[in-house]
Amino acid sequence: MSAPLSLTRQQQNSVTAYHNFCVQLPVYYCAICCVLLYKSETKRVFCPVPAETVPCVIWGFPPICDVDGRIVVCATHAKDSTQWVSTIDYPGAIVPETEGLNYRELACLSPIKLLASVCRNSSRSASMLGHYNLSGNISGRFNYDFAGYIFSGIRGIAYTTENHAG
């Protein structure tokens, strides 16, 4: 029989801080635009259309309902004049051929590459738990990796990319 886990006060404070952080994460989403929402940002409205036709169902997310039958939406869609139609087209299901690809192969197929720096915060009081955050800017550029792989070796032609302003 193993002894119960004993944590120092410093480690207990770190675990408590991490638990408080997890409680603050966005766990709701709007039934119309599927935007992640914090609990304080949610609005609840009665749905004028059948629950099966709510836009989030098309994207594969069931609407979040309370016991009164009200559905969670964002502040933008909490108005009476809201159209219960998706403003974003559903891109379709995941192509079965891509399910076996690794991260690098999937990144080559993406038309846009997002660039960001993620660093680890020094944890509170030098305890074991650490958090990650963005440092610097997030930027995007066109992804020419796949084209580079295809055309780089053809007849010795050098494949170059242009810097697009965007």
Side-chain angles (χ1 to χ4, degrees), residues 90-101 106 109:
Y90 180 61
I94 296 173
V95 180
E97 290 81 5
T98 62
E99 291 179 1
L101 299 178
L106 287 172
L109 296 176

Side-chain angles (χ1 to χ4, degrees), residues 27 43 58 76 87 97 117-118 160:
V27 293
K43 305 291 183 194
I58 298 169
T76 306
T87 56
E97 290 81 5
S117 297
V118 178
T160 59

Side-chain angles (χ1 to χ4, degrees), residues 11 14-16 18 120-124 126-131:
Q11 292 169 334
S14 181
V15 170
T16 302
Y18 180 72
R120 182 175 178 175
N121 287 342
S122 57
S123 55
R124 293 183 56 186
S127 63
M128 295 181 200
L129 296 174
H131 302 285

Side-chain angles (χ1 to χ4, degrees), residues 2 7 18 23 29 36 43 46 49 58 72 100 102 116 130 146 155 164-165:
S2 64
L7 298 175
Y18 180 72
V23 170
Y29 53 87
L36 285 175
K43 305 291 183 194
F46 288 104
V49 297
I58 298 169
V72 172
N102 63 29
F146 183 70
R155 297 185 185 176
H164 293 281

Side-chain angles (χ1 to χ4, degrees), residues 16-27 131:
T16 302
Y18 180 72
H19 174 68
N20 292 338
F21 167 76
C22 289
V23 170
Q24 296 173 8
L25 294 177
V27 293
H131 302 285

